[in-house]
Amino acid sequence: MGPVPPRTRRRGLPSSPARAVRKLGEIRRAQLVTTYGVGAMVAVENESFLVRGIDSWDISEAPTISEPRLARQLGVSGFRMPPAPDPDRARDGVRAVRFPEMYSCPHCHQLQPFRKFNSPAGKAECSTCQESLVPSRFVIACTRGHLDDFPYWKWVHRGNRKEFGSCGGQLTFRADGSTASLRSVLIGCSCGIDEVSMEGSFRRQALRELGIRCEGRRPWLKDAPTESCQEPPRTLQRGSSSVWFPVMHSALSIPPWSQGIAKLVAPYYDIFKVEDHSAIRSFVRMQKLLRHHPNFTDDDVVAEVDRRRAAEAVATEQAEDPGTEKPARDHRREIYEGEYRSLSKPHLEVAEQEQEFVCEPPTASIDALRTSRGLEQVMLVKRLREVRALQSFRRVDEPSTTDLPLREAAISLTKPSWLPAFEVSGEGVFIRLDTARLGDWEQDPGQIARAARIRKNHENLLASRATDTTKPVPPSPASPRFLLLHALAHILINEWSLDGGYPSSSLRERVYGTEDMAGVLIYTATSDSAGSLGGVVAQGEPGRLEDSLRSALHRASWCSNDPLCMESEASGADSLNLAACHACLLLPETSCENNNILLDRAALVGTPDGCVPGFFTL
């Protein structure tokens, strides 16, 4: 009996309608904004795919999300949840493209584009060995977001003057297993040239020294032309977190946008904004929208639609005028100022209304906390809604406040009118410090010096990453007030994860520590049931809060890494922390809105020698 003939793809046969669109896998809607958004690579079994731009998504069944404040700041008309069509009625939704294109066979070690393996339809197999193929482990990317396959041919033929592919050889990829380092990953060619390891390929200038330039490719955007790019490409692991950093924005739904006529109009606004006033009134009467809302009239609906139209027009004008474009930090400050004002005053629960924001003071007095701990106000946020939207993404370096839009990769070939987003509900506790006591503490020379040390390091980092040297580098938010509030949020999250039974990754912070704000919101906002049953709100009752603060401050007074932690002159990524480490202050990255930087435990409890007082030790 002769050998089994190699498996080849049958050509010339019409494809089955059921296989016209291949279903690759399933991803949760929230992940398409936070983890596997546009431009991110997704591993599906032994294959790898790149999520395509939103202009290729089928959004016919994608629900709309209303958050006028955030939409106005980002210059879009609204948000949509990533599509999740019914698999029984639809085969499309979020589309993907194969990337990287280079695959290798673990048996015969061939390294070539996937199409040359002639795999059976719907599979990634070597047609010769019937072995599952392995996508390339390495890609190259630049800080402008461009992405491409690693140039294996140029890497193995370095120093050879032949043109690309002119040797006529077959590339090979193998790991000899001698070590776990890149030295054991060997690239070869059948033309007879010596094998070359991948050692040194991750050096910052490694590719530039070989004359390899960024080609400006954007494979996640269909039919996107290549862009001229002067940024040096960098070698990255395909599964590295540096391949994709989301640029996200979020906002809490606060009154008046989260209640009353604004909430009533929100689900129908896409219909209303293309109709005239008479058509709006007719639609309201035909659909009986005000049947359960006798306090409102048709005129109220029309007035709310006109108000939203005017706000959108202003946002559109600002987005189209480069002279009025605001940096991301300004968007964030405006959103946070509105939230701070709403959190500082009661919004009581009304039984007959569907409210997205309920904020009430505790029933017991907080006089003891005001006197002993310097807390001015405690508010129990019994209900809140947060909208998180994906605006763009970065590669190689994490997003920075100094980045120009040029450094952010687009999620659509044309300027989008909507952005992918998702909404979560939860609860939380808002704490505001006594501004008089805080003002006195902020003047301490020791705290000023410690904050200045972090601020200097931060501003040096911002200056080194600035893309426009003609504009001044924005000031760092590092100040005694911000360091204090940020550290307070971290110790309470750690304490409540132990005392309240919540995983720390399910709790989040929002620090209001700029200008005249002095508060922190600790909340849970997840798509599951964790923290939605009153457990977080219970921690804000004065008695429990006093116990939590006492225990948290006691833990913060001594770290298992002390005295090294407390006496550190600089710690953390890029030296942007002082007394902060994994044993005392650092949190899971999902909990901290500042990537675990700008932290100092001494702002809470002071230094052991007493030279620098903490806010809670005065």
Side-chain angles (χ1 to χ4, degrees), residues 11-195:
R11 304 182 184 276
L13 296 179
S15 60
S16 171
R19 303 179 69 90
V21 178
R22 180 184 172 197
K23 183 180 178 180
L24 301 178
E26 296 180 355
I27 300 176
R28 293 195 302 272
R29 278 174 161 166
Q31 288 181 308
L32 284 165
V33 176
T34 60
T35 310
Y36 301 118
V38 174
M41 278 179 281
V42 184
V44 181
E45 297 180 350
N46 65 318
E47 301 177 76
S48 177
F49 298 91
L50 193 66
V51 179
R52 272 194 163 166
I54 61 174
D55 46 5
S56 67
W57 292 9
D58 179 8
I59 59 171
S60 58
E61 298 182 7
T64 59
I65 296 178
S66 175
E67 182 47 57
R69 289 195 312 135
L70 186 59
R72 184 169 64 253
Q73 295 297 330
L74 298 182
V76 295
S77 61
F79 306 100
R80 284 183 177 268
M81 294 184 67
D86 186 345
D88 296 332
R89 298 187 294 108
R91 299 170 305 189
D92 205 352
V94 176
R95 296 186 177 181
V97 61
R98 184 180 300 279
F99 191 89
E101 298 176 5
M102 298 295 288
Y103 277 65
S104 62
C105 175
H107 183 73
C108 64
H109 304 301
Q110 290 187 80
L111 174 65
Q112 59 189 0
F114 176 82
R115 64 182 181 277
K116 292 187 177 181
F117 280 101
N118 203 26
S119 299
K123 294 184 179 180
E125 291 183 357
C126 177
S127 59
T128 303
C129 310
Q130 283 80 51
E131 290 285 343
S132 296
L133 298 176
V134 179
S136 169
R137 288 172 51 185
F138 309 102
V139 297
I140 62 173
C142 77
T143 54
R144 288 186 58 184
H146 300 133
L147 186 68
D148 209 341
D149 280 272
F150 183 83
Y152 290 104
W153 194 94
K154 293 182 179 180
W155 181 257
V156 74
H157 290 86
R158 48 184 162 175
N160 191 302
R161 295 183 178 274
K162 294 181 179 179
E163 296 295 328
F164 175 71
S166 61
C167 70
Q170 169 65 54
L171 292 177
T172 59
F173 181 101
R174 69 183 185 90
D176 60 16
S178 58
T179 67
S181 67
L182 292 174
R183 185 178 300 177
S184 65
V185 179
L186 303 174
I187 312 299
C189 183
S190 61
C191 68
I193 198 170
D194 293 337
E195 284 186 323

Side-chain angles (χ1 to χ4, degrees), residues 12 74 78 100 130 136 261 435 438 453 489 516 526 529 593:
L74 298 182
Q130 283 80 51
S136 169
I261 192 65
T435 53
L438 181 60
R453 195 182 313 164
D516 57 345
T526 60
S529 59
E593 64 177 357

Side-chain angles (χ1 to χ4, degrees), residues 11 155 251 285 398 445 455 489 498 517 553:
R11 304 182 184 276
W155 181 257
R285 289 192 294 269
E398 68 275 9
R455 185 168 59 253
L498 298 173
M517 297 187 290
L553 292 171

Side-chain angles (χ1 to χ4, degrees), residues 440-460:
D440 294 338
W441 173 82
E442 286 178 312
Q443 304 305 316
D444 181 78
Q447 288 295 345
I448 293 175
R450 291 180 71 90
R453 195 182 313 164
I454 296 179
R455 185 168 59 253
K456 180 180 178 181
N457 292 340
H458 195 202
E459 290 180 347
N460 288 339

Side-chain angles (χ1 to χ4, degrees), residues 13 27 62 103 143 189 309 321 337 341 347 436 441 457 504 562 566 606 609:
L13 296 179
I27 300 176
Y103 277 65
T143 54
C189 183
R309 285 177 178 172
D321 184 3
E337 285 176 352
R341 290 191 296 268
H347 294 275
W441 173 82
N457 292 340
S504 56
D562 277 343
M566 180 60 77
D609 57 10

Side-chain angles (χ1 to χ4, degrees), residues 233-250:
R234 294 280 302 277
T235 304
L236 300 173
Q237 290 270 12
R238 173 170 53 87
S240 169
S241 60
S242 298
V243 172
W244 192 79
F245 292 104
V247 177
M248 295 179 57
H249 301 271
S250 69

